[in-house]
Amino acid sequence: MLLVLLAAGAVSVLTGEGASAWIIGVVVLLSLALDQIQQQRAEAAAARLSDQVAITARVLRDGVEQKVPVAELVPGDIVRLAAGSQVPGDGVLLAAQDLFVQQSAVTGESFPAEKKAGVAPTAPGAAPEGPGVVFMGTSVLSGTGTMLVCSTGRATRIGEVSQLITREREDLAFEHDLRRFGLFILRITVFLVLFVLLVGGFSHRPWLDSFLFAVALAVGITPELLPMVVTVSLARGALRLAREQVIVKRMSAIHNLGEMDVLCTDKTGTLTEARIRLVRNVDAGGADSDCVLENAFLNSHFESGIRTPLEDAILAHGGIDAAAWRKVDEVPFDFERRRLSVLLARGGERRLAVKGAPADVLAHCDRWRDGEQVRPWTDEARARAEATLRSLETDGFRVLGVAYKAVPPTLENASLQDEDELVFAGFAAFLDPPKADAAQALRELLAKGVHVKIVTGDSELVTRHLCAALGMPVHGVLLGQEIARLDERALAQRVQRANLFCRVDPIQKNRVIRALRARGHVVGYLGDGINDAPALHSADVGISVDTAADTARAAADLILLRHSLTVLDAAVTEGRRTFANTRKYILLGTSSNFGNMVSMAFAAVVLPFLPMLPVQILLNNLLYDAVSAALPLDRVDPEDTRTRQHWDIAAIRRFMFVIGPVSSLFDLLTFWLLLRVLGAAAPEFQSGWFVESLATQVLAVFVIRTRGPAWRGRPHPVLAATAAGVVGGAVLLPFTPLGALFGLVPLPPVFYAALAGMTLAYLALLELVKRLYQARQRRRQHRRPVRPA
């Protein structure tokens, strides 16, 4: 749109229209300057807020470990790595303990890679590879390590292809809709310009005059302040969200919040308190078992990765003395096996203690602990264990399977093969009660048209129990193993009907998000784990929390400082408020500008002179833009925040074609008044229409800005003052020397008396047409089939 203005300015300069060139230049500079100022303010505010959640690295400098922002790392720094952290640069390992890294973003490997210190990289001259090398952009899944940073930023392997990685993210809802709107305006502009040029040619008018008039029309219909209005709206939205303890990392996500109709979320910490307590330790038959507690405690006490809330609950339970034990080795947790094993020693005894997802632990056991005896698995024993597990999960417990086995005293390195032929000790059962405000937040989101879907790695039974506690109906369940069997088209059909997705891995979470978006939904995803990063990246709105893993925070668009869906409900309201003010500008600009430009094109056909000089059209547009610049400050109707907002180009087009002709009708009345009643010559006609079109266009703001009656709406004081100043200035301008520079001449008092009456009639008719249009829109929406979410 700015390119259209620049082209018009260049034409004005080449044809000697200095005044037109100056006005176009002012419009362009005003738009760019306001946009740049607001963008800088927004970025500065976002930067200050983002400092609270900036990704940092644990760096050893001058013998002291300190947290340093990743952007400040330099080659030669020594960095500590732990589970959940991002590798901040390319480098070599100086030390590593059970270190597993997910490096698929760099190397394309599907499975985590084990890293070891002291292993030389590949030969000089080749790209550095090997188990002793780590890369920026990869994430630590488990274990600990110390690395020497060799390259940072653009010099890293991922830095070299960062542009390609950036392009991988598809256009999200906001960017897609803006592009569609820009193409819509461009088509109308081209049509009007070609129409005026053809009419001028057939009317034997000078081509240059017709061309300049057509260029002025193009400028008049172009909403050139849209970038500034969008930026100001987003900046104000980001600051208001900051007061609600929400940090905005990507501004356009605010608009996507307003459009969002599906929110996918994990349950732990979002719907539940995330204060997990270990409440039961039972064997396969459901009897209390100290053996379960002992092995679960030893496994959690000696593991090297970042502890999960379940492990914290085990350690908080206590009751086991681990002083006599020492750790020998570890097989860290990964998302494929879903279990963790620790090799322990006490005197001459060595034991492998295992805990993990119950199904995965049970699959590797060939015996079970019955009181003080160890018995072989039988079909009856396995059925008892599965019944106990089902009973615990039905009661809402989160369950871990616990197993162990004695190993030879000479075993020093534990491997995956050692996890076979285990003795099943039993189940550790945890309780994570639902949050007190979660049920109310779910109801409020649903009332706003946002459907919540739970996407979790937990079992169906536990998740169903939580939904019952929250009063959330279950419409359909889709399990991870079912998702694995579905292709993309089949999955896109199934995700419509299901609102619980259980036992899903990170790749399946991402597929669910992409399938929902493929069905036309605007999708938000709330997650805080390493395994949530792909889904956060793919969602229209990625939402995380300040305590999330580095990988999750890096992929998110919004960071919640308060872990509650209530905060998210407030964020949705703010997104819709921001969206509504942007839409006001578009509806006002397209409808009123379209009406005026159609009137000009019609007048160019029937009048022997130009209905308004090109420089007057540009001045008219500039003054109207001054009013539009205050729209981001305006209040919005409660209905705009209660219902989902979305860009509907067809609705914008209908609004333009309904409201625009009302403006054109009163333009024709003005033509009749000026020509037949006042007998105006060209200068008087152009001056009269300049005043009338600007007054009606500006005052129409107070009718269109609200869905309800115009007299009940309370516009922002800045908007009201700006509109009053522009209308007053338009009335007085023909009597000033400045007006003479633009070809404006004084008008008789009778014109202003007639203008006052016509303006009141115009506003009354506009209010009536607006109500009829809204009633028709409501009927259209009621007839439209409801799409399941």
Side-chain angles (χ1 to χ4, degrees), residues 617-697:
I617 297 175
L618 297 174
L619 178 61
N620 185 298
N621 197 50
L622 177 63
L623 293 174
Y624 177 68
D625 281 342
V627 179
S628 300
L631 280 173
L633 307 175
D634 196 24
R635 302 180 177 95
V636 300
D637 296 328
E639 185 178 349
D640 287 328
T641 59
R642 284 197 300 265
T643 57
R644 176 201 174 199
Q645 304 295 311
H646 63 97
W647 289 75
D648 188 343
I649 301 301
I652 293 173
R653 182 170 58 246
R654 288 192 297 269
F655 189 87
M656 183 179 72
F657 289 148
V658 169
I659 301 297
V662 178
S663 173
S664 297
L665 174 63
F666 279 84
D667 287 338
L668 294 178
L669 287 176
T670 303
F671 294 169
W672 177 82
L673 173 68
L674 291 168
L675 293 173
R676 298 298 182 184
V677 178
L678 300 179
E684 289 81 9
F685 182 93
Q686 292 161 349
S687 301
W689 193 30
F690 173 88
V691 175
E692 182 270 341
S693 65
L694 186 58
T696 54
Q697 196 174 7

Side-chain angles (χ1 to χ4, degrees), residues 259-262 443-452 576 642-644 789:
E259 292 191 76
M260 182 176 72
D261 64 329
V262 174
R443 287 193 293 270
E444 291 174 353
L445 286 171
L446 185 60
K448 286 183 167 68
V450 179
H451 297 269
V452 177
R576 292 178 176 179
R642 284 197 300 265
T643 57
R644 176 201 174 199

